[in-house]
Protein backbone atom coordinates (compact mmCIF):
# COMPACT_ATOMS: atom_id res chain seq x y z
CA UNK A 1 0.00 0.00 0.00
CA UNK A 2 0.91 3.64 -0.03
CA UNK A 3 2.69 5.33 2.84
CA UNK A 4 2.79 8.98 3.63
CA UNK A 5 5.03 9.91 6.49
CA UNK A 6 5.79 12.99 8.49
CA UNK A 7 9.31 13.83 9.58
CA UNK A 8 8.39 15.24 12.99
CA UNK A 9 5.49 14.24 15.17
CA UNK A 10 5.57 17.50 17.20
CA UNK A 11 6.65 21.05 16.50
CA UNK A 12 6.71 24.04 18.86
CA UNK A 13 7.15 27.58 17.57
CA UNK A 14 7.01 31.05 19.04
CA UNK A 15 4.08 33.22 18.10
CA UNK A 16 5.03 35.36 15.15
CA UNK A 17 7.66 32.98 13.83
CA UNK A 18 7.30 30.98 10.64
CA UNK A 19 6.47 27.27 10.84
CA UNK A 20 7.52 24.55 8.45
CA UNK A 21 5.83 21.17 8.51
CA UNK A 22 7.25 18.41 6.35
CA UNK A 23 5.83 15.34 4.71
CA UNK A 24 7.41 12.53 2.70
CA UNK A 25 5.41 10.49 0.25
CA UNK A 26 6.28 7.18 -1.34
CA UNK A 27 4.49 7.07 -4.68
CA UNK A 28 6.25 9.04 -7.38
CA UNK A 29 3.13 8.71 -9.49
CA UNK A 30 1.01 10.72 -7.03
CA UNK A 31 -0.25 13.86 -8.70
CA UNK A 32 -2.39 15.62 -6.14
CA UNK A 33 -1.59 16.64 -2.57
CA UNK A 34 -3.55 18.30 0.19
CA UNK A 35 -2.72 19.74 3.58
CA UNK A 36 -5.31 19.54 6.32
CA UNK A 37 -5.50 21.11 9.76
CA UNK A 38 -7.26 19.30 12.57
CA UNK A 39 -8.07 21.08 15.80
CA UNK A 40 -8.95 19.18 18.91
CA UNK A 41 -12.44 17.72 18.73
CA UNK A 42 -12.96 18.69 15.10
CA UNK A 43 -12.67 17.08 11.71
CA UNK A 44 -9.76 17.86 9.36
CA UNK A 45 -10.08 21.21 7.64
CA UNK A 46 -8.76 21.80 4.12
CA UNK A 47 -5.90 24.29 4.06
CA UNK A 48 -4.27 24.20 0.66
CA UNK A 49 -3.63 21.81 -2.19
CA UNK A 50 -1.15 21.41 -5.00
CA UNK A 51 -0.97 19.34 -8.17
CA UNK A 52 2.18 17.71 -9.44
CA UNK A 53 2.54 20.12 -12.35
CA UNK A 54 3.39 22.83 -9.81
CA UNK A 55 6.17 23.11 -7.24
CA UNK A 56 4.80 25.96 -5.17
CA UNK A 57 1.43 27.34 -4.26
CA UNK A 58 0.53 30.15 -1.93
CA UNK A 59 -2.53 30.89 0.10
CA UNK A 60 -3.28 33.25 2.91
CA UNK A 61 -0.23 32.97 5.22
CA UNK A 62 0.42 29.45 3.94
CA UNK A 63 2.66 28.12 1.21
CA UNK A 64 2.96 24.55 0.02
CA UNK A 65 6.14 23.38 -1.65
CA UNK A 66 6.41 20.20 -3.66
CA UNK A 67 9.73 18.57 -4.48
CA UNK A 68 8.99 15.65 -6.76
CA UNK A 69 12.64 14.69 -7.06
CA UNK A 70 12.84 13.66 -3.41
CA UNK A 71 9.11 13.09 -2.97
CA UNK A 72 8.76 15.74 -0.32
CA UNK A 73 5.97 18.11 0.57
CA UNK A 74 6.11 20.98 3.02
CA UNK A 75 3.68 23.45 4.51
CA UNK A 76 4.95 26.84 5.53
CA UNK A 77 2.89 29.01 7.83
CA UNK A 78 3.94 32.64 8.06
CA UNK A 79 3.66 34.64 11.27
CA UNK A 80 2.30 31.68 13.22
CA UNK A 81 -0.57 32.51 15.56
CA UNK A 82 -1.99 30.68 18.59
CA UNK A 83 -4.98 29.71 16.47
CA UNK A 84 -2.65 27.72 14.25
CA UNK A 85 -2.06 25.21 17.03
CA UNK A 86 -3.41 21.93 15.68
CA UNK A 87 -2.42 18.68 14.04
CA UNK A 88 -1.50 19.00 10.39
CA UNK A 89 -1.88 16.13 7.91
CA UNK A 90 -0.70 15.74 4.38
CA UNK A 91 -2.66 13.64 1.92
CA UNK A 92 -1.53 12.07 -1.31
CA UNK A 93 -3.59 10.93 -4.29
CA UNK A 94 -1.92 8.49 -6.70
CA UNK A 95 -2.75 9.08 -10.34
CA UNK A 96 -3.92 5.49 -10.70
CA UNK A 97 -6.86 5.73 -8.35
CA UNK A 98 -9.17 7.92 -6.34
CA UNK A 99 -8.20 6.94 -2.80
CA UNK A 100 -6.29 9.45 -0.69
CA UNK A 101 -3.50 8.33 1.65
CA UNK A 102 -2.85 10.31 4.78
CA UNK A 103 0.16 10.86 6.98
CA UNK A 104 -0.04 10.37 10.74
CA UNK A 105 0.13 14.10 11.41
CA UNK A 106 2.36 16.69 13.05
CA UNK A 107 1.20 18.44 16.17
CA UNK A 108 1.99 22.15 16.03
CA UNK A 109 2.04 24.12 19.27
CA UNK A 110 2.34 27.87 19.16
CA UNK A 111 3.92 29.42 22.23
CA UNK A 112 2.53 32.89 23.03
CA UNK B 1 -23.08 26.26 1.34
CA UNK B 2 -23.43 23.94 4.32
CA UNK B 3 -20.52 21.66 5.10
CA UNK B 4 -20.45 17.95 5.68
CA UNK B 5 -22.62 16.93 8.60
CA UNK B 6 -22.39 13.77 10.65
CA UNK B 7 -24.78 12.34 13.18
CA UNK B 8 -24.64 11.51 15.95
CA UNK B 9 -21.59 13.38 17.20
CA UNK B 10 -21.05 11.03 20.12
CA UNK B 11 -22.02 7.42 20.77
CA UNK B 12 -21.40 5.04 23.61
CA UNK B 13 -22.04 1.36 22.96
CA UNK B 14 -21.13 -1.93 24.57
CA UNK B 15 -19.29 -4.85 23.04
CA UNK B 16 -21.40 -6.97 20.74
CA UNK B 17 -23.82 -4.21 19.83
CA UNK B 18 -24.08 -2.65 16.42
CA UNK B 19 -24.07 0.98 15.40
CA UNK B 20 -25.09 3.07 12.40
CA UNK B 21 -23.47 6.39 11.62
CA UNK B 22 -24.83 8.93 9.17
CA UNK B 23 -23.16 11.42 6.86
CA UNK B 24 -24.69 14.15 4.73
CA UNK B 25 -22.26 15.46 2.10
CA UNK B 26 -21.93 18.97 0.80
CA UNK B 27 -24.73 19.73 -1.63
CA UNK B 28 -23.77 18.59 -5.11
CA UNK B 29 -21.04 16.24 -3.91
CA UNK B 30 -21.49 12.69 -5.11
CA UNK B 31 -18.52 10.97 -3.52
CA UNK B 32 -18.46 10.04 0.16
CA UNK B 33 -15.52 8.42 1.93
CA UNK B 34 -15.33 7.07 5.45
CA UNK B 35 -12.26 6.97 7.68
CA UNK B 36 -11.42 5.68 11.13
CA UNK B 37 -9.09 7.77 13.26
CA UNK B 38 -7.53 6.49 16.49
CA UNK B 39 -4.90 8.08 18.78
CA UNK B 40 -1.44 7.75 17.32
CA UNK B 41 -2.78 6.58 13.95
CA UNK B 42 -3.37 8.42 10.76
CA UNK B 43 -6.69 8.26 9.04
CA UNK B 44 -7.48 4.70 8.08
CA UNK B 45 -9.59 4.41 4.95
CA UNK B 46 -12.77 2.38 5.31
CA UNK B 47 -14.61 2.75 2.01
CA UNK B 48 -15.75 5.19 -0.63
CA UNK B 49 -19.09 5.51 -2.36
CA UNK B 50 -19.99 7.25 -5.57
CA UNK B 51 -23.48 7.31 -7.03
CA UNK B 52 -24.64 4.63 -4.59
CA UNK B 53 -21.82 2.26 -5.55
CA UNK B 54 -18.92 1.26 -3.37
CA UNK B 55 -15.81 1.92 -5.45
CA UNK B 56 -13.04 1.34 -2.94
CA UNK B 57 -12.71 -0.55 0.30
CA UNK B 58 -9.96 -0.49 2.90
CA UNK B 59 -8.57 -3.33 4.96
CA UNK B 60 -11.29 -3.62 7.53
CA UNK B 61 -13.27 -6.72 8.49
CA UNK B 62 -16.70 -7.40 7.08
CA UNK B 63 -18.26 -6.09 10.30
CA UNK B 64 -17.78 -2.66 8.75
CA UNK B 65 -20.20 -1.89 5.98
CA UNK B 66 -21.77 1.09 4.35
CA UNK B 67 -24.17 2.35 1.79
CA UNK B 68 -25.07 5.47 -0.10
CA UNK B 69 -28.51 6.71 -0.97
CA UNK B 70 -29.73 8.41 -4.14
CA UNK B 71 -29.40 11.83 -2.47
CA UNK B 72 -25.70 11.02 -1.79
CA UNK B 73 -26.22 10.71 1.95
CA UNK B 74 -24.28 7.81 3.34
CA UNK B 75 -24.40 5.52 6.33
CA UNK B 76 -21.87 3.17 7.78
CA UNK B 77 -22.64 0.27 10.04
CA UNK B 78 -20.44 -1.60 12.44
CA UNK B 79 -21.77 -4.89 13.78
CA UNK B 80 -20.60 -6.93 16.75
CA UNK B 81 -18.68 -4.03 18.22
CA UNK B 82 -15.28 -4.63 19.77
CA UNK B 83 -13.34 -2.46 22.21
CA UNK B 84 -10.86 -1.68 19.44
CA UNK B 85 -13.59 -0.06 17.38
CA UNK B 86 -13.53 2.95 19.69
CA UNK B 87 -12.45 5.78 17.45
CA UNK B 88 -13.39 8.96 15.67
CA UNK B 89 -15.22 8.11 12.46
CA UNK B 90 -14.86 10.73 9.81
CA UNK B 91 -16.82 11.22 6.65
CA UNK B 92 -15.49 13.24 3.73
CA UNK B 93 -17.28 14.31 0.59
CA UNK B 94 -15.98 15.45 -2.77
CA UNK B 95 -17.55 16.71 -5.95
CA UNK B 96 -16.44 13.70 -7.89
CA UNK B 97 -13.49 11.38 -8.11
CA UNK B 98 -10.04 12.90 -7.75
CA UNK B 99 -11.37 16.10 -6.24
CA UNK B 100 -10.65 17.69 -2.90
CA UNK B 101 -12.22 15.91 0.05
CA UNK B 102 -13.96 17.97 2.71
CA UNK B 103 -14.45 16.44 6.12
CA UNK B 104 -17.27 16.47 8.59
CA UNK B 105 -16.78 16.90 12.34
CA UNK B 106 -16.79 13.17 12.95
CA UNK B 107 -18.65 10.78 15.21
CA UNK B 108 -16.85 9.81 18.39
CA UNK B 109 -17.66 6.16 19.11
CA UNK B 110 -16.79 4.67 22.47
CA UNK B 111 -17.19 0.92 22.97
CA UNK B 112 -17.34 -0.26 26.59
Amino acid sequence: GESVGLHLPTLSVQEGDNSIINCAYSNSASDYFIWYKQESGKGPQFIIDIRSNMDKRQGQRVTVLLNKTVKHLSLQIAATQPGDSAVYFCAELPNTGNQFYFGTGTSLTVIP
Amino acid sequence: KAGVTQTPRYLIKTRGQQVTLSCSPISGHRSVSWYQQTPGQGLQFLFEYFSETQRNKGNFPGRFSGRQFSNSRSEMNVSTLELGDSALYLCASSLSERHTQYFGPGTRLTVL
Side-chain angles (χ1 to χ4, degrees):
Chain A
E2 307 295 337
S3 69
V4 181
L6 296 176
H7 292 311
L8 295 173
T10 62
L11 177 65
S12 294
V13 298
Q14 290 289 142
E15 181 178 358
D17 286 352
N18 296 335
S19 303
I20 300 176
I21 301 171
N22 297 303
C23 176
Y25 62 95
S26 61
N27 190 339
S28 58
S30 289
D31 61 358
Y32 183 44
F33 305 87
I34 302 176
W35 279 103
Y36 289 93
K37 171 187 179 183
Q38 186 174 24
E39 298 175 90
S40 181
K42 298 183 178 180
Q45 174 189 358
F46 171 88
I47 302 174
I48 192 168
D49 60 357
I50 189 168
R51 297 201 179 267
S52 59
N53 60 351
M54 303 173 68
D55 52 22
K56 180 179 180 179
R57 191 161 188 231
Q58 290 184 291
Q60 187 176 10
R61 283 201 306 118
V62 294
T63 300
V64 55
L65 299 176
L66 175 63
N67 185 330
K68 295 180 286 293
T69 302
V70 295
K71 292 184 287 186
H72 183 268
L73 191 69
S74 69
L75 176 70
Q76 301 178 359
I77 305 173
T80 314
Q81 303 169 359
D84 295 327
S85 293
V87 175
Y88 290 81
F89 298 91
C90 61
E92 163 192 17
L93 182 63
N95 64 2
T96 54
N98 49 36
Q99 178 183 336
F100 281 89
Y101 295 86
F102 292 81
T104 54
T106 291
S107 177
L108 173 66
T109 300
V110 181
I111 303 167
Chain B
K1 186 181 280 189
V4 179
T5 59
Q6 292 187 245
T7 57
R9 291 294 311 279
Y10 302 92
L11 267 178
I12 299 176
K13 293 286 187 179
T14 56
R15 281 181 297 175
Q17 288 188 307
Q18 75 167 20
V19 66
T20 299
L21 312 181
S22 181
C23 171
S24 292
I26 293 170
S27 178
H29 285 197
R30 297 170 63 190
S31 173
V32 174
S33 298
W34 288 91
Y35 297 87
Q36 181 195 67
Q37 186 179 39
T38 54
Q41 299 286 327
L43 284 86
Q44 304 295 312
F45 174 74
L46 282 156
F47 26 66
E48 186 248 351
Y49 287 87
F50 182 82
S51 293
E52 303 179 66
T53 301
Q54 185 183 92
R55 293 193 302 186
N56 292 299
K57 191 176 191 303
N59 295 323
F60 278 81
R63 299 185 296 108
F64 292 81
S65 63
R67 59 178 176 170
Q68 185 180 34
F69 302 95
S70 59
N71 61 358
S72 293
R73 190 178 70 84
S74 178
E75 290 181 346
M76 68 163 282
N77 183 78
V78 187
S79 62
T80 320
L81 284 166
E82 301 177 359
L83 295 178
D85 296 332
S86 294
L88 179 67
Y89 289 88
L90 292 160
C91 164
S93 78
S94 62
L95 193 62
S96 183
E97 59 183 5
R98 304 189 60 75
H99 279 76
T100 305
Q101 290 190 346
Y102 295 92
F103 285 85
T107 294
R108 173 71 63 183
L109 172 64
T110 302
V111 182
L112 303 175

